[in-house]
Amino acid sequence: MTETLDTPEKRRSALRTMVLIREFENHVRDRFADNEIPGFVHLSQGQEAVAVGVCTALSRDDYITSTHRAHGHSLAKGLEPDRLLAELYGKAEGHCGGRGGSMHVADLDEGMLGAQPIVGASVPLGTGAGITAQLSDADWMATAFCGDGSVAAGQVHEAINLAATWQLPVVFVVENNQYSEGMVFDEQHNVEDVAEMASAYGIPGEIVDGQDVTAVNETMRAARERALDGDGPTLIEAKTYRYRGHFEGDEQPYRSQEEVEDWRENRDPIDNYRERLAAAGELTDEEFEAIRTEVKAVMADAVEFARNADEPAPEAAYDDVFVEEAPEIDAFRERMAADGDNGGVGL
Ligand SMILES: Cc1ncc(C[n+]2csc(CCOP(=O)(O)OP(=O)(O)O)c2C)c(N)n1
Ligand SMILES: [Mg+2]
């Protein structure tokens, strides 16, 4: 990771990750339709270049925060498809022991701070990670993914404003897929581009073609460098499109299937990148088929893994809910008691 896509090998690897995300979500679509996966799922097919372009620009130590549409971000950041799928199945081997599912998956070791089903909540979480980075003089930064719908939520403005004012090492990536559930972008916003909003916080706002993995990677690398240099946040608006409904089962009365087909036919991030690599003489049809075959085998194994994984023990529902030991809080209590003042804090 932290890569410029500057060699054929790295470019093929980025293509493979996009194919993996597409294939992962094909399985989620089908297994959800079969009632094998509980809850709700939101697919990101069509948006793969944003996840991969951003995450190839990050180091393993950098953190991301995500939304209800988190499968692509999670895989691009390095979560393994078998454990991610097991999490969606609610199994003990999943990243959160099966307690999170699609909309709450997190893996701190891989720098995935969590999917947030509350629209907009990924943004203050990213700002919080930025505060930690700044206070601890860290050499990592945070990236908060959010959707175009989320920028109408108050907490998003508070969090970006704070990050800008304190020059935190955070990048805000708004995936503008033009819809917020069934609401079209211009029914919800009085600006043409989300990037315009950046001027309200005094930070750069960049618009990037979210169907072009190279462009996303370049924009993200520059923003990350700026963040790590102490120059504060950037707001990146990636123009993109989701092929599936808002959730699986959405009948999509708010858009035509011709519109969806047009994006699939003409602006597909995988097809376009594949064609670009082929035109540069870096990818034959056989090599692409080999990528697809390998990814299909990985996913067949992942499905088997998820299906056969153990159900969590009922008592595991209480794991990670309460803090067992909190030396910082104990020390704080003692300090307050010694001062004879609890500072109004009800501890
Ligand atoms: C605070 C809050 N309000 C409403 C919802 C219901 N809801 C879930 S996703 C969504 C739309 C989000 O749109 P956007 O931010 O553009 O993300 P996208 O679904 O397009 O990826 C809404 C309104 C919610 N989860 N949280
Ligand atoms: Mg949206």
Side-chain angles (χ1 to χ4, degrees):
M1 291 203 248
T2 330
E3 278 169 0
T4 321
L5 300 177
D6 59 358
T7 66
E9 197 185 30
K10 289 179 193 171
R11 288 191 276 267
R12 281 195 294 264
S13 166
L15 180 66
R16 179 199 177 269
T17 310
M18 290 199 286
V19 173
L20 176 68
I21 297 169
R22 180 74 53 94
E23 200 56 29
F24 181 92
E25 293 200 316
N26 280 338
H27 280 280
V28 174
R29 177 196 64 202
D30 295 345
R31 303 287 82 80
F32 182 79
D34 294 345
N35 280 329
E36 273 189 40
I37 296 177
F40 266 108
V41 288
H42 304 79
L43 304 189
S44 65
Q45 291 181 327
Q47 303 184 195
E48 293 90 345
V50 185
V52 175
V54 166
C55 290
T56 45
L58 302 180
S59 89
R60 187 159 186 255
D61 293 340
D62 293 335
Y63 284 99
I64 63 165
T65 69
S66 179
T67 69
H68 54 285
R69 209 174 293 288
H71 308 147
H73 306 150
S74 304
L75 291 168
K77 189 67 177 71
L79 274 63
E80 292 298 331
D82 51 0
R83 290 189 60 213
L84 182 60
L85 198 61
E87 185 58 40
L88 268 62
Y89 271 71
K91 297 295 185 73
E93 281 91 337
H95 288 276
C96 306
R99 295 185 303 270
S102 171
M103 283 192 276
H104 299 87
V105 68
D107 185 332
L108 304 195
D109 294 337
E110 295 295 342
M112 167 53 170
L113 275 179
Q116 303 295 320
I118 302 299
V119 170
S122 55
V123 177
L125 189 63
T127 291
I131 294 173
T132 303
Q134 192 178 68
L135 287 178
S136 56
D137 216 5
D139 55 4
W140 51 263
M141 48 74 72
T143 298
F145 285 101
C146 62
D148 49 290
S150 79
V151 296
Q155 62 173 326
V156 170
H157 298 284
E158 296 170 36
I160 301 178
N161 182 60
L162 189 71
T165 305
W166 289 358
Q167 298 277 287
L168 300 177
V170 190
V171 175
F172 301 101
V173 177
V174 182
E175 285 182 277
N176 185 351
N177 61 11
Q178 306 177 38
Y179 294 95
S180 170
E181 286 202 358
M183 191 170 279
V184 187
F185 183 82
D186 57 14
E187 288 173 357
Q188 194 178 18
H189 304 285
N190 196 35
V191 291
E192 217 156 277
D193 302 303
V194 174
E196 282 179 54
M197 296 182 184
S199 66
Y201 314 113
I203 63 174
E206 307 279 350
I207 296 177
V208 66
D209 178 359
Q211 306 310 92
D212 178 346
V213 70
T214 312
V216 176
N217 174 269
E218 279 167 8
T219 306
M220 184 63 207
R221 282 194 3 262
R224 177 179 186 269
E225 215 167 286
R226 214 178 149 260
L228 287 175
D229 284 348
D231 294 329
T234 301
L235 189 157
I236 297 174
E237 176 185 10
K239 305 277 193 188
T240 185
Y241 196 78
R242 67 166 153 76
Y243 295 157
R244 303 290 299 171
H246 170 64
F247 55 90
E248 283 306 285
D250 176 7
E251 288 176 0
Q252 308 174 57
Y254 49 85
R255 67 178 181 181
S256 70
Q257 282 310 300
E258 288 76 38
E259 179 185 290
V260 180
E261 279 317 305
D262 185 49
W263 276 80
R264 272 189 194 274
E265 284 296 310
N266 301 308
R267 305 204 49 192
D268 184 73
I270 297 176
D271 288 350
N272 289 355
Y273 200 48
R274 176 191 174 179
E275 281 161 22
R276 199 185 303 171
L277 298 192
E282 294 178 7
L283 187 78
T284 62
D285 286 350
E286 293 71 38
E287 282 167 328
F288 184 67
E289 281 316 315
I291 291 175
R292 268 231 288 250
T293 306
E294 183 263 332
V295 164
K296 278 179 189 292
V298 166
M299 282 312 308
D301 288 349
V303 173
E304 277 314 292
F305 178 84
R307 278 183 176 150
N308 297 324
D310 294 330
E311 296 286 345
E315 57 273 22
Y318 295 106
D319 289 354
D320 304 326
V321 175
F322 300 106
V323 175
E324 304 287 333
E325 284 178 36
E328 301 88 348
I329 295 179
D330 293 343
F332 182 68
R333 278 204 182 105
E334 277 164 27
R335 220 167 51 237
M336 289 295 147
D339 288 353
D341 171 16
N342 73 357
V345 182
L347 283 171

